[in-house]
Amino acid sequence: MTPSPHRMPGALFDAVAAGAGGAEALRFLARAEHSRRLACAYAVTAAARETGGQVAEEAARAWELLAAATRADPAATAAVLTHPAAGPALFGLLARLTGRREQDRPALRAPLGRYTALAAAATVRAGLAARVEWPVEGAWVALPSLGRAHFPAARRGGQAVLRVDTSGRALLSLTGRSPGDPPVPVPASPYRSEGRWHGAYLLETLAPGTPLLLDVLDQPGFPNAVRRPDDLEADEIHHWVTAAREACGLLRADHPDLYEELAAGPRQLVPLTGTGQGTVSGSSAETFGCVAMSRPTTATGFAATMTHEMQHNKFSALLHLFDLLEPGPERFYAPWRPDPRPLLGLFHGAYAHLGVACFWARRGETEPDPGLRTEAHVQFARWRSAAREATLVALGSGRLTPLGRRVADRMLHTLDGLCRLPVPAAARHRAEATARAHHAAWRERNGNPERTLSA
């Protein structure tokens, strides 16, 4: 298994930098993320080999399983390595293997189980006969990209055992299991739940072979994320299904360019809970294709949130390929945050809000309800100005690389075009008043935003 080099055509780079890119860009970035995960799996194996002992043996077995699955069915391994749970598992493990003192490394047995679980999932997907064993971390045993089995009597220190027979049928059990924890069959379909097996919930099929899923992450990476599949009640799942289908219908009908990007690959939604009022969302640099969000209230809000977080996904993947800025101690005013932000956060947010501005510009043209259309004009005016302001600050920071300046220049070109579009005066005045209020509240909390702040 060898990661492929990725050379991004200049025109495609510029299209992404301008805030778009389409399905071609999303597929390119997805391939690059897959190669990055594969390279990380190899790096984990190499670092474990240097550690030696049982750590090296377990990592070598996981690598051999991944290699065998790839030889049998390359798509099987790709589906596992591109699953959002694989990023935090692999990069977190690599950081621990390379960052600890030599004498501490043998204590890394438990995290290696996540690497083995990835390899086990690839084995199931490829239909390879095998027996795989790894440490249990709790009552839920995950096969990333497939689902998870519930073993209520499981305790840390036990072992999960996966058996795949020559026909491809898979069975998950525990060593020394209690009578209350019999083996759990792993369904052939990844979107099926039965008994103590819980798969992802299929919300919508975005395109042939491209699902939009609702699921918890195997390794929770977001504050307030739902931690267990059985925490989602049937009524809650029905609400997500309805909201997702309405939002996807809206994007298909009125925002075809955005929908094309969304439908370019599998997408996973991680539900958030206990977030209070308003929509809360987030994404992570290592969970490409994944969006965490609170319970949606409207189809438009759902679509806007997906747009926002998909922009963050694109920008994170671009940063994995190219150095766009030099980090520094300065902190900056961001028109969407209550706290001072580092340049990376400001640049990220400007790119995301450029996409949000484009979304609301289109809503202002297509929304049939007069009141909602007015609100779309307000949102458009607010976020085009905010994104432009932040982009200018990034350009003036002196910390962008030549490629970073190229991105910011193309962002600014898009935003200048948006700022030339007419907006009803009342909506523009409301947006400006909201921006001034945010600016004043930030100054009261943090000081003068006209100067950068030292960390």
Side-chain angles (χ1 to χ4, degrees), residues 71-161:
R71 288 191 295 270
D73 183 356
T77 305
V80 174
L81 289 179
T82 55
H83 187 264
L90 289 171
F91 287 96
L93 179 54
L94 182 61
R96 293 191 65 181
L97 280 168
T98 57
R100 282 177 171 265
R101 295 173 301 171
E102 221 37 62
Q103 61 266 34
D104 292 336
R105 288 184 181 176
L108 290 169
R109 177 173 171 78
L112 272 170
R114 294 177 185 147
Y115 185 20
T116 305
L118 292 169
T123 301
V124 174
R125 281 185 168 271
L128 292 178
R131 183 184 186 279
V132 189
E133 190 170 327
W134 67 98
V136 170
E137 296 185 46
W140 293 90
V141 177
L143 290 173
S145 80
L146 292 170
R148 56 201 52 75
H150 190 209
F151 293 96
R155 297 292 181 270
R156 284 183 179 271
Q159 296 284 109
V161 180

Side-chain angles (χ1 to χ4, degrees), residues 77-432:
T77 305
V80 174
L81 289 179
T82 55
H83 187 264
L90 289 171
F91 287 96
L93 179 54
L94 182 61
R96 293 191 65 181
L97 280 168
T98 57
R100 282 177 171 265
R101 295 173 301 171
E102 221 37 62
Q103 61 266 34
D104 292 336
R105 288 184 181 176
L108 290 169
R109 177 173 171 78
L112 272 170
R114 294 177 185 147
Y115 185 20
T116 305
L118 292 169
T123 301
V124 174
R125 281 185 168 271
L128 292 178
R131 183 184 186 279
V132 189
E133 190 170 327
W134 67 98
V136 170
E137 296 185 46
W140 293 90
V141 177
L143 290 173
S145 80
L146 292 170
R148 56 201 52 75
H150 190 209
F151 293 96
R155 297 292 181 270
R156 284 183 179 271
Q159 296 284 109
V161 180
L162 172 74
R163 293 178 177 86
V164 186
D165 65 21
T166 54
S167 68
R169 289 177 297 185
L171 199 66
L172 197 57
S173 62
L174 300 183
T175 56
R177 63 183 182 272
S178 70
D181 276 346
V184 177
V186 180
S189 169
Y191 317 131
R192 181 179 170 188
S193 296
E194 184 176 303
R196 290 175 15 249
W197 178 264
H198 292 257
Y201 299 100
L202 179 61
L203 299 179
E204 178 69 301
T205 299
L206 301 170
T210 307
L212 176 63
L213 304 172
L214 180 72
D215 201 4
V216 300
L217 273 183
D218 305 326
Q219 182 184 8
F222 299 99
N224 300 313
V226 172
R227 293 296 196 260
R228 304 172 2 158
D230 58 353
D231 285 338
L232 291 170
E233 302 289 342
D235 288 348
E236 182 73 3
I237 295 165
H238 177 72
H239 176 87
W240 279 93
V241 169
T242 302
R245 290 178 178 172
E246 290 178 357
C248 289
L250 181 150
L251 289 172
R252 271 194 303 268
D254 296 339
H255 305 260
D257 293 341
L258 295 177
Y259 187 80
E260 179 184 329
E261 292 190 356
L262 181 66
R267 305 286 176 238
Q268 178 177 330
L269 296 177
V270 173
L272 303 179
T273 185
T275 58
Q277 294 183 344
T279 299
V280 177
S281 66
S283 54
S284 163
E286 301 304 348
T287 57
F288 182 81
C290 179
V291 172
M293 62 185 294
S294 57
R295 191 176 194 264
T297 55
T298 67
T300 300
F302 196 153
T305 299
M306 289 294 292
T307 300
H308 181 123
E309 299 301 342
M310 285 299 297
Q311 289 291 99
H312 278 305
N313 268 225
K314 284 195 296 184
F315 201 74
S316 291
L318 201 65
L319 284 165
H320 288 159
L321 290 171
F322 306 104
D323 293 325
L324 301 183
L325 67 150
E326 298 290 340
E330 301 89 355
R331 296 294 183 267
F332 301 89
Y333 169 68
W336 47 81
R337 292 279 301 218
D339 54 334
R341 300 295 287 158
L343 180 60
L344 175 60
L346 185 76
F347 206 0
H348 237 298
Y351 188 80
H353 283 86
L354 182 157
V356 170
C358 290
F359 173 85
W360 288 115
R362 182 63 177 156
R363 293 311 310 146
E365 297 172 351
T366 60
E367 175 57 58
D369 181 273
L372 296 178
R373 189 163 61 249
T374 296
E375 185 60 29
H377 290 316
V378 174
Q379 294 296 323
F380 169 52
R382 170 82 171 98
W383 299 123
R384 68 178 180 179
S385 297
R388 186 178 187 278
E389 176 185 346
T391 301
L392 287 171
V393 172
L395 276 167
S397 69
R399 292 195 175 276
L400 299 188
T401 65
L403 279 179
R405 288 194 296 274
R406 181 167 167 174
V407 170
D409 282 339
R410 278 148 182 82
M411 288 170 59
L412 189 61
H413 178 78
T414 299
L415 289 161
D416 283 344
L418 293 176
C419 287
R420 287 192 290 270
L421 295 178
V423 173
R428 189 178 68 253
H429 293 156
R430 276 181 57 193
E432 291 168 350

